Amino acid sequence: MYIKRNLEKTIERYINKPEIIAVIGTRQCGKTTMISHMLEQYKNVNIITLEDVDNKILFEEDIKSFINLYVKGYDYLFIDEVQYAKNSGKQLKYIYDTEKIKIIISGSSATDLSISSLKYLVGRIMIFELYPFSFKEFLSYKDERLYKIYQNKKFKQTINRELQKYIKEFIKYGGYPRVVTSTSDEEKKLILKNIFNTFLLREIKEILELNKSDKLVKLLHALAFQVGNLLNYNELSQITGFNYKNLKKYLAILEKTYICQRCYPFFCNKRKELVKMPKIYFIDHGFRNQCAGQFEFELQTIGTIYENLVYSENFKKGYKLKYWRTKSQAEVDFIQNDQIPLEIKTTPKITRSFLSFIKKYKPKTGYVVSETEKESRKIHGCEVKFLPFSKFI
């Protein structure tokens, strides 16, 4: 069964435009499956992969022969795993400038589409990012009946309880397609382990040509337990053996390869608010749990796991959240669009910090997101909405 991706509608608008379409994202998030499925409705399509060594060498060393073999006579060309080729930007520019064909490419990370590649493709490429399944995509596979109700958004507490069961599965094993379609917990864990190992062996060692995978494993393990907390660089350095410079370098790599994202503070008054330390969140929950080596959550950690859910679901939609924290320890989990406070709780309640933010910045709307729903309240001119995770995300 094919699971429709949210990104498809956006890409469809550009499928017959002249620019190269690039779909990048973490390994095994479904890039090849999605593009191949989308191209089924078109004629004269050629699909090749640069994971094939012969194709890769021809693409790198003899682009004219590559064109004669794989480009001429076709209307659409899909080049998969483009990150394996050196100087891909220069070669793609040559095909774009000399042949009348629509080019679609995929790559496992943003690392290949670097400044050195993009300088050849300015004005010739449109880049789209694909992530593991969002909760909406996950639910469309798991329960078609519930998915239709979920899309309506006007459901009662009984439906919310059903949806909450799926949310708990989602934050346990995440949204990698092969994991979602697996039928047993044992199989899901095995696939996540393989995704983790493939990331280290292929992405880190082969493509990025880095040899610090042992230290990186320690870093990923440590980050998995720092989700929702301020990053402690000194502690991370002691655990991993990375100095500060290399630590920042590897955190940037984890962002470019779609594993983690740093969440930065929102501030207006630098004197009263903390402005330097970011927090860390994982894009996929299953990958985070694999890094942590645990798939069960204690009561004291479930709150941060729900925080990760809200952050990652917003990130997949293109929204980057910030957090707010003052020197007097007042803190709000997230600030959306630099104005809307979001508090993530297991039970719906308003904290003193949340009230403090409302008094200070006077937002029109705020959200308390938890497992259950309550009626909205007007507080200091702000409409505070109490929404369950199932409706908010």
Side-chain angles (χ1 to χ4, degrees):
M1 173 187 171
Y2 177 73
I3 305 170
K4 188 173 179 63
R5 306 304 302 269
N6 297 332
L7 186 60
E8 289 181 38
K9 286 184 180 179
T10 304
I11 293 177
E12 280 287 356
R13 296 201 292 266
Y14 301 97
I15 201 74
N16 287 312
K17 302 289 184 181
E19 291 86 1
I20 296 169
I21 289 176
V23 179
I24 55 178
T26 183
R27 288 184 172 277
Q28 299 190 43
C29 69
K31 300 181 297 295
T32 305
T33 301
M34 182 191 73
I35 298 170
S36 299
H37 177 80
M38 292 180 68
L39 291 174
E40 287 177 358
Q41 61 184 301
Y42 299 96
K43 296 180 180 179
N44 294 324
V45 176
N46 193 17
I47 299 174
I48 66 166
T49 176
L50 297 190
E51 195 169 23
D52 183 304
V53 176
D54 293 334
N55 291 341
K56 172 181 172 293
I57 292 173
L58 196 65
F59 181 80
E60 290 176 339
E61 300 180 2
D62 190 354
I63 193 63
K64 290 184 178 179
S65 294
F66 182 90
I67 289 171
N68 287 330
L69 282 171
Y70 301 118
V71 180
K72 290 188 180 295
Y74 293 99
D75 296 323
Y76 300 89
L77 172 66
F78 172 30
I79 303 178
D80 196 19
E81 304 286 10
V82 75
Q83 75 276 1
Y84 286 110
K86 297 177 181 177
N87 300 316
S88 60
K90 184 177 181 180
Q91 307 297 60
L92 288 167
K93 177 183 180 296
Y94 185 82
I95 299 173
Y96 180 93
D97 290 345
T98 60
E99 302 297 322
K100 190 177 180 181
I101 191 170
K102 178 66 179 186
I103 305 169
I104 302 101
I105 63 174
S106 74
S108 66
S109 73
T111 52
D112 184 64
L113 295 174
S114 58
I115 294 173
S116 60
S117 293
L118 287 176
K119 68 182 180 182
Y120 296 105
L121 300 174
V122 173
R124 298 175 175 86
I125 190 168
M126 303 194 75
I127 301 173
F128 302 93
E129 294 173 308
L130 186 69
Y131 305 105
F133 288 155
S134 66
F135 178 70
K136 181 179 177 181
E137 292 166 331
F138 167 86
L139 186 64
S140 70
Y141 173 78
K142 287 291 183 178
D143 193 320
E144 187 175 352
R145 174 194 66 86
L146 207 53
Y147 172 71
K148 290 178 181 178
I149 298 173
Y150 173 76
Q151 284 187 299
N152 186 38
K153 296 181 182 179
K154 295 179 181 180
F155 47 81
K156 301 297 182 182
Q157 185 62 21
T158 51
I159 296 297
N160 178 54
R161 282 194 289 267
E162 287 188 62
L163 288 167
Q164 188 62 32
K165 293 177 184 177
Y166 283 115
I167 287 174
K168 288 184 176 180
E169 180 182 346
F170 187 61
I171 62 175
K172 186 173 185 178
Y173 294 118
Y176 280 97
R178 184 66 182 84
V179 176
V180 173
T181 56
S182 298
T183 55
S184 70
D185 289 359
E186 182 182 359
E187 186 179 1
K188 291 178 189 295
K189 291 176 183 177
L190 179 61
I191 292 167
L192 281 168
K193 183 178 180 179
N194 288 335
I195 290 172
F196 178 83
N197 289 334
T198 302
F199 166 74
L200 292 173
L201 293 173
R202 305 295 294 277
E203 197 82 359
I204 297 301
K205 285 193 174 181
E206 291 186 14
I207 299 171
L208 299 178
E209 298 179 352
L210 301 172
N211 56 8
K212 298 277 194 305
S213 61
D214 55 335
K215 292 185 177 181
L216 188 61
V217 170
K218 293 179 182 178
L219 176 60
L220 285 165
H221 182 76
L223 292 175
F225 288 99
Q226 287 199 15
V227 164
N229 296 317
L230 297 179
L231 281 182
N232 187 326
Y233 288 112
N234 289 332
E235 181 182 321
L236 289 174
S237 293
Q238 291 174 3
I239 292 171
T240 63
F242 286 133
N243 59 33
Y244 180 76
K245 181 179 178 181
N246 282 333
L247 191 58
K248 295 288 288 283
K249 170 186 172 182
Y250 276 83
L251 284 170
I253 287 171
L254 292 176
E255 291 185 330
K256 287 181 179 180
T257 51
Y258 304 100
I259 299 301
C260 300
Q261 283 292 317
R262 282 168 285 188
C263 176
Y264 291 93
F266 165 85
F267 63 90
C268 288
N269 188 333
K270 291 185 179 181
R271 293 181 179 180
K272 294 183 179 180
E273 295 161 353
L274 298 175
V275 298
K276 292 183 179 180
M277 302 287 281
K279 293 183 177 184
I280 196 77
Y281 294 97
F282 281 71
I283 293 174
D284 184 78
H285 312 282
F287 196 95
R288 178 267 166 197
N289 298 337
Q290 174 62 43
C291 292
Q294 63 178 44
F295 290 86
E296 301 297 334
F297 310 122
E298 298 175 357
L299 186 61
Q300 60 266 37
T301 62
I302 190 65
T304 58
I305 300 300
Y306 279 137
E307 271 188 52
N308 200 104
L309 170 68
V310 171
Y311 185 89
S312 65
E313 289 296 289
N314 273 270
F315 182 82
K316 291 169 189 174
K317 295 174 185 176
Y319 305 133
K320 284 195 175 181
L321 303 179
K322 296 179 181 179
Y323 74 91
W324 181 68
R325 183 169 179 168
T326 69
K327 290 182 179 180
S328 59
Q329 303 302 308
E331 183 173 357
V332 175
D333 293 326
F334 298 119
I335 309 300
Q336 188 181 62
N337 299 330
D338 284 340
Q339 57 183 334
I340 302 173
L342 312 176
E343 193 75 344
I344 316 303
K345 298 291 180 186
T346 51
T347 57
K349 61 181 179 181
I350 295 177
T351 64
R352 292 173 63 184
S353 295
F354 193 80
L355 286 173
S356 177
F357 183 91
I358 290 173
K359 287 180 183 178
K360 182 177 179 65
Y361 293 102
K362 298 177 174 57
K364 293 180 180 180
T365 309
Y367 291 91
V368 176
V369 189
S370 67
E371 294 183 357
T372 57
E373 187 170 12
K374 287 173 57 177
E375 288 188 11
S376 300
R377 289 172 56 189
K378 202 82 170 180
I379 303 174
H380 300 301
C382 174
E383 184 181 8
V384 180
K385 298 182 179 181
F386 297 86
L387 292 182
F389 294 108
S390 56
K391 286 188 177 180
F392 183 79
I393 63 176

